[in-house]
Amino acid sequence: MAKRSGYARVSTTDQDLRIQRKALKRAGCGVIFEEKVSGTKRDGREELTKVLGVLGKGDALVVTRLDRLGRSLRDLANIAHEIEEAGAALVVTEQSVDTSTPAGRAFFGMLATFAQLETDVRRERQLEGIEAAKAKGVYKGRKPSLDRAMVREMADAGVSPSRIARDLDMARSSVYRVLGEPA
């Protein structure tokens, strides 16, 4: 028996899934997989992996917008391929995509391309903003996560690299990297 499974995702823990949940229920989803994790990468998206694993022939994976599924063209294409391999279809409610039809598959391809473009443009703008802020002396980058002076001080006091790493909560390889840098 064909089933409609929903997938809802927001990027941060302070965002709310209620609107997506309601839309997916209206779309006839019996089960909704939800997660609060970035969509820029597939890593760590356990609920997406679960929903893809339960799809079978004639089923549909339903999302409200394509960007809930993924942000890069490659990820979206890979996910679409997994859905197709399962014999299922992808339905995107707000963008009128249904990959069970030829027109829906074509529209999906176009939307995936635009999603990738949006990500690339956003990244480009961010880098331009960082460069402008650096030129004004406003942007300094993130604060160093390693206390290089403390690493050297502890090493000079005879503390082993393993102990330094443990005490400063850092990787031992980072300790060796700092110790190998010119003082």
Side-chain angles (χ1 to χ4, degrees):
M1 181 175 166
K3 63 186 175 302
R4 290 171 74 89
S5 299
Y7 176 72
R9 183 193 62 77
V10 290
S11 299
T12 62
T13 55
D14 61 332
Q15 291 176 309
D16 194 356
L17 289 160
R18 277 183 290 194
I19 294 171
Q20 289 181 62
R21 191 180 302 123
K22 286 179 185 177
L24 293 170
K25 285 180 182 176
R26 277 194 312 271
C29 296
V31 177
I32 299 172
F33 295 79
E34 302 177 356
E35 57 193 345
K36 295 184 175 192
V37 63
S38 173
T40 56
K41 294 182 182 171
R42 181 99 178 253
D43 299 337
R45 294 175 61 193
E46 295 170 12
E47 294 302 306
L48 176 60
T49 300
K50 287 178 188 175
V51 71
L52 291 172
V54 300
L55 294 176
K57 187 164 181 61
D59 292 344
L61 172 59
V62 183
V63 295
T64 56
R65 290 190 331 263
L66 199 55
D67 66 351
R68 299 302 83 205
L69 202 53
R71 297 254 186 206
S72 78
L73 185 57
R74 174 171 283 179
D75 276 347
L76 289 169
N78 288 340
I79 292 167
H81 180 73
E82 287 181 52
I83 294 168
E84 184 180 340
E85 287 288 305
L90 171 65
V91 175
V92 185
T93 60
E94 291 181 23
Q95 294 162 320
S96 301
V97 171
D98 182 345
T99 63
S100 67
T101 68
R105 284 189 295 277
F107 193 48
F108 169 80
M110 288 186 287
L111 286 176
T113 300
F114 286 119
Q116 178 69 52
L117 175 65
E118 179 184 354
T119 298
D120 293 345
V121 168
R122 186 181 323 109
R123 185 177 297 120
E124 191 174 283
R125 274 194 229 122
Q126 181 182 21
L127 291 174
E128 287 171 357
I130 289 171
E131 288 305 315
K134 282 181 179 178
K136 292 178 185 175
V138 176
Y139 183 86
K140 308 267 192 266
R142 74 178 177 116
K143 294 178 181 161
S145 58
L146 304 177
D147 186 346
R148 287 174 158 70
M150 181 59 78
V151 169
R152 287 191 184 98
E153 184 179 314
M154 291 175 76
D156 291 344
V159 179
S160 73
S162 295
R163 181 62 188 226
I164 294 171
R166 195 169 36 254
D167 288 354
L168 298 181
D169 193 29
M170 59 192 291
R172 194 173 55 212
S173 60
S174 296
V175 172
Y176 285 114
R177 186 175 60 248
V178 169
L179 295 176
E181 295 171 352

